[in-house]
Amino acid sequence: MFVKKDGCKSIAEVVSRNTGMAIDKFLEDVRDPFLKNLKETVAFVKNYLASNPRCRVTIVGDYDSDGINATTIMYWCFMKLKITPVLRLPRRMSEGYGLNEKIIDEIPSGLLITVDNGIAALAAVKKAKEKGLAVVVTDHHLPVQDKDGNMVLPEADVILNPHIDAESEFRDYCGAALAYRFAREMFHAKFPDLVVLASIATVSDVMPLISANRTLVKDGLSYINKRRVVPGLAELLKKLGCDDHISEVDYGFLLGPIFNASGRLFDSGAENVVKLLCTKRGDFTAAYKADKLIATNDRRKEVVRKCMESAEKMVDPKQRPIVLYNPSIPEGIVGIVAGKLAEKYYTPAIVFTDCGKEGVIKGSGRTISEIHLKNTLNQIQDEMLGFGGHAGAAGLSIRRDNLENFKKAFQDACGPIPEPPNDLSYDLELDLDDLTGTIEELKKFAPYGEKNPQIRFHATFDIDPLEFRMIGDGTHFMTNTENDITVFGFGLTEKFKELSPKRIDCVGTLSENWFNGKSSLRFELIDFKSVE
């Protein structure tokens, strides 16, 4: 039976409840909130370049969507300064996350700037300074803490990270958004193509879509739909057939996964994405690069499917949190598997695999909203060889023979794990007589995502079984209703076939669906049942 959550009577009331914000505050356009050290970071870079006009500039990023977009933003920023920077992404399998001492060995001299990493690279930054490099750290991850909870910062010349002080007005930027704020401060100008990159990263890195992030993503969506994008992204959109309206859903489920896929499957695969995004207009290789990224993502989907089947066989649903060691899962895929397990079983989940070092296993963790993963791991530092991350995700390594001790320590650190929310609950009844008005109201509070989830509607639809057709890998379906709404059921094909309903009682989300320049209504099912 579907149950209404509470007494909310409008979309505005639901948004206010979900975000914990008054609606007028939620709807404010928040641009350029004060960031401690932003002006100082830009001033340091300007002064260094003025004193060392022919110096080498090295940008060290990360192999995920946020790090890739941050690296690209910083690349175009320096290109506007007539400086071609050297780009370096850590190699996922052979090096692991973030700035490392091997990378420092590669840099002969000059200015080193990190994006989406560096705050935890204490040894590498120390070595860089000893070598005579100028070091700028820009990162959104939480800093290292000692056993007493005191912050331990790298010995960089300047650090831009809103988590290291109490003065920054907004702390939930991703790495690419910080890189964009750096570029904006550098030139005192707004670059639409770079806003787009930062907005994609904000969604794909699952940042809260409130306050400054909401404004950033709204702006980015406006620009990408006007195709005010870097040339490489324009080519990728063309190859994907994205000639219609692009939404935050496309950021999260289309572009973000493509940006991530190469770095998940190949040691230095993320470089392929950066190469596309840094191509100049008229580069005839862009089409080939875009095709390659799309094909890699298709392969990634198949790998994930097989890995999930393998992981599921090891899961004890009664054991929460979930901690698994499965050497058959590639290192670049463990995070996806952990995320899917955390969502399905509503519990923190950490998946370990082999990493090529004798006696060491590397893991990736995901969590639920009630449990802060980085803070939880802070409590059990002695059980790990290394770790880093933020509230929702973390990477870590442990000794293989310490797995059982780690499981127990992690379980104790998590404490009582709340029961999953009722998936059969909904926010509002869908008014089938005013669908246009509902869509317009939904647009007012978009984009939806982390901290501002999509509104759940309850509705009853008449279904024509002849309109049913499977999509994707066959586990998903779409059909039409008498109200000219296209209904999508992801992972629900078998249930639909079993019930073969002509009328369904359901809970789901309503949105616009664009095709050939025309919009239609889309209802994505969360669950349904057949009714007479």
Side-chain angles (χ1 to χ4, degrees), residues 442-458:
L442 286 172
K443 288 180 184 178
K444 181 178 178 181
F445 300 102
Y448 296 94
E450 183 71 8
K451 300 298 184 184
N452 182 33
Q454 287 183 291
I455 310 296
R456 289 185 170 197
F457 291 100
H458 174 247

Side-chain angles (χ1 to χ4, degrees), residues 101-116:
E101 295 187 48
K102 178 184 175 184
I103 294 175
I104 301 303
D105 290 337
E106 297 173 3
I107 305 173
S109 61
L111 173 63
L112 164 64
I113 302 179
T114 71
V115 290
D116 193 34

Side-chain angles (χ1 to χ4, degrees), residues 278-384:
C278 292
T279 54
K280 297 178 175 61
R281 199 169 306 279
D283 187 333
F284 68 91
T285 67
Y288 165 76
K289 292 173 182 175
D291 283 334
K292 186 175 180 180
L293 297 188
I294 294 169
T296 300
N297 189 47
D298 290 339
R299 178 180 172 186
R300 188 270 312 168
K301 292 176 185 177
E302 180 61 19
V303 172
V304 169
R305 184 187 66 78
K306 292 179 179 178
C307 289
M308 277 302 296
E309 290 177 356
S310 176
E312 286 276 19
K313 294 175 182 177
M314 303 177 65
V315 172
D316 177 1
K318 298 178 182 178
Q319 187 67 46
R320 301 167 75 215
I322 293 171
V323 178
L324 301 179
Y325 163 58
N326 188 328
S328 70
I329 300 178
E331 189 176 321
I333 302 299
V334 287
I336 297 179
V337 174
K340 289 181 178 292
L341 293 176
E343 181 179 4
K344 180 174 180 178
Y345 296 101
Y346 203 74
T347 180
I350 297 178
V351 179
F352 288 100
T353 191
D354 290 336
C355 65
K357 295 181 180 179
E358 184 66 30
V360 176
I361 56 178
K362 186 180 291 187
S364 187
R366 300 294 184 270
T367 188
I368 55 179
S369 60
E370 294 91 340
I371 296 179
H372 191 296
L373 191 54
K374 174 66 163 51
N375 289 348
T376 301
L377 293 175
N378 282 341
Q379 301 173 42
I380 56 171
Q381 295 186 41
D382 290 344
E383 301 294 338
M384 297 173 287

Side-chain angles (χ1 to χ4, degrees), residues 36-109:
K36 177 72 172 178
N37 272 1
L38 175 59
K39 290 183 181 296
E40 291 81 354
T41 302
V42 171
F44 176 84
V45 171
K46 284 183 175 180
N47 291 335
Y48 185 86
L49 295 176
S51 301
N52 303 272
R54 295 188 177 183
C55 74
R56 167 181 167 136
V57 176
T58 304
I59 298 166
V60 178
D62 188 24
Y63 40 65
D64 71 351
S65 175
D66 187 17
I68 287 166
N69 281 292
T71 302
T72 305
I73 289 169
M74 202 64 82
Y75 169 83
W76 286 112
C77 174
F78 277 89
M79 290 296 285
K80 294 176 191 299
L81 292 170
K82 308 300 183 185
I83 296 171
T84 302
V86 177
L87 307 183
R88 178 63 155 89
L89 303 183
R91 298 174 181 114
R92 184 189 286 267
M93 290 74 166
S94 62
E95 295 178 347
Y97 167 79
L99 183 69
N100 59 63
E101 295 187 48
K102 178 184 175 184
I103 294 175
I104 301 303
D105 290 337
E106 297 173 3
I107 305 173
S109 61

